[in-house]
Amino acid sequence: RRHTRYISVTGVQTCALPILKTLANEFRAYFNEPIDIQLYATPSGENGFSWHYDIEDVFVIQTQGTKEFYLKRNTVLPSPTTTEMQGVLFSQESDKGVLHCTLKAVDFLYIPSGWWHMARALTDSFHVSVGVKFTSGIDYLKDILAPLEKDIGWRRRLKVHNISSRNDQLNLLKNKLIQYLQDDSGGI
């Protein structure tokens, strides 16, 4: 099995280099969302990663060399919230709809969250990847509902013996949730 060769440096949004610190601050100020900056150095003829997707939107800034990017809309799991099982998921995709572009120094590329992509260096290559993790509806719900974990009424297991009993319990919880969301302390 052939191993891919590349160098990746993650979490550089926190480094002290002025240009990277400025880049991080500009993206954070513009989008008002968490960001992650990574650096990739890839030798000519090598792939950085095989087909994969990121859960954040990615802005690629090619700073040196030439690199081919291949992109494809994720039709198996649109808007994913996790990166688990990518190999299995990609095997379910069709071969149709693959986009191709070549980036040279100072070119940039936007890759939407969840889109499949891979890159191959045509020459020794260096690029900066800025990931912006936009908040999803699920993220908001997790924040809103997190206090419910402290309420024993929500942690209690539902004892369901028949459909009628289950529906009664679910209706009680639904009404309690609606009240919670309408309350100033827990609502949106």
Side-chain angles (χ1 to χ4, degrees):
R1 180 176 154 177
R2 183 172 174 244
H3 295 282
T4 303
R5 298 180 314 162
Y6 64 93
I7 296 172
S8 170
V9 181
T10 61
V12 298
Q13 68 276 3
T14 61
C15 88
L17 289 175
I19 192 163
L20 293 174
K21 197 171 200 168
T22 299
L23 182 66
N25 290 339
E26 292 291 327
F27 267 84
R28 195 175 295 108
Y30 185 81
F31 290 109
N32 196 31
E33 296 284 358
I35 63 152
D36 181 40
I37 298 180
Q38 301 175 9
L39 308 177
Y40 293 94
T42 313
S44 180
E46 296 289 335
N47 290 21
F49 292 103
S50 61
W51 283 101
H52 69 286
Y53 62 78
D54 297 301
I55 58 173
E56 64 242 352
D57 290 61
V58 176
F59 296 83
V60 176
I61 305 163
Q62 185 72 24
T63 58
Q64 184 178 343
T66 305
K67 191 174 278 185
E68 289 181 312
F69 279 83
Y70 299 88
L71 302 103
K72 182 175 183 3
R73 181 184 300 272
N74 189 334
T75 62
V76 176
L77 184 65
S79 299
T81 58
T82 179
T83 57
E84 293 176 15
M85 297 182 54
Q86 289 192 36
V88 172
L89 293 173
F90 187 74
S91 69
Q92 298 171 17
E93 287 284 354
S94 77
D95 293 345
K96 298 178 182 173
V98 175
L99 304 173
H100 170 265
C101 65
T102 302
L103 298 185
K104 296 179 180 173
V106 307
D107 288 343
F108 66 93
L109 173 66
Y110 167 70
I111 304 173
S113 169
W115 274 55
W116 296 105
H117 58 282
M118 72 171 199
R120 181 168 185 78
L122 299 178
T123 64
D124 289 348
S125 173
F126 188 83
H127 82 262
V128 177
S129 172
V130 181
V132 181
K133 187 169 187 308
F134 290 99
T135 306
S136 70
I138 294 293
D139 295 327
Y140 279 119
L141 282 176
K142 286 177 183 175
D143 289 345
I144 290 170
L145 300 178
L148 295 181
E149 292 180 2
K150 296 176 183 160
D151 181 332
I152 191 157
W154 286 97
R155 293 194 319 259
R156 235 181 242 124
R157 302 294 181 247
L158 300 178
K159 307 293 187 202
V160 179
H161 302 291
N162 59 51
I163 297 296
S164 176
S165 174
R166 183 187 78 131
N167 288 341
D168 290 344
Q169 289 183 40
L170 291 176
N171 279 329
L172 284 171
L173 287 174
K174 178 178 79 173
N175 291 332
K176 194 173 174 182
L177 180 60
I178 289 169
Q179 182 62 44
Y180 172 76
L181 292 174
Q182 291 173 342
D183 182 0
D184 286 340
S185 64
I188 299 174

